[in-house]
Amino acid sequence: GKPWLQHALCDHFYVSLPYPLGPKLELFAGAGLHLHYFWLMPITPAEKQYRHEHGAEALEQRFDEVGVEFANPYRASVV
């Protein structure tokens, strides 16, 4: 619970599949390898609590509804 950038509102990270970018970024298969990529998304304390209460799918749906700026650690909470 500490911002990774000074004065950032997002002080937690959410680990998930890069769902908005689709399976082309999520999966890699080649050279005998099969990999799944995950990303770290900065989230606010309220978003963390919302995820614990309502689940990951509900939080991701909320992100989609508002068109969240995924990489902006200074953005306001979407919940």
Side-chain angles (χ1 to χ4, degrees), residues 37-52:
Y37 290 96
F38 292 84
W39 66 356
L40 291 175
M41 179 183 164
I43 61 172
T44 66
E47 291 164 346
K48 177 187 172 200
Q49 186 64 35
Y50 186 87
R51 186 252 177 255
H52 285 287

Side-chain angles (χ1 to χ4, degrees), residues 19-75:
Y19 65 91
L21 305 174
K24 286 187 178 186
L25 182 62
E26 174 190 335
L27 302 172
F28 172 81
L33 297 173
H34 184 83
L35 303 171
H36 288 264
Y37 290 96
F38 292 84
W39 66 356
L40 291 175
M41 179 183 164
I43 61 172
T44 66
E47 291 164 346
K48 177 187 172 200
Q49 186 64 35
Y50 186 87
R51 186 252 177 255
H52 285 287
E53 292 174 2
H54 302 281
E57 184 66 32
L59 178 60
E60 291 174 5
Q61 183 175 19
R62 186 71 187 130
F63 289 153
D64 288 342
E65 290 170 358
V66 301
V68 70
E69 294 180 69
F70 294 102
N72 180 2
Y74 300 101
R75 66 175 176 76

Side-chain angles (χ1 to χ4, degrees), residues 1-4 8-13 42-46 73:
K2 182 178 176 185
W4 57 284
L9 300 175
C10 299
D11 63 357
H12 290 77
F13 281 114
I43 61 172
T44 66

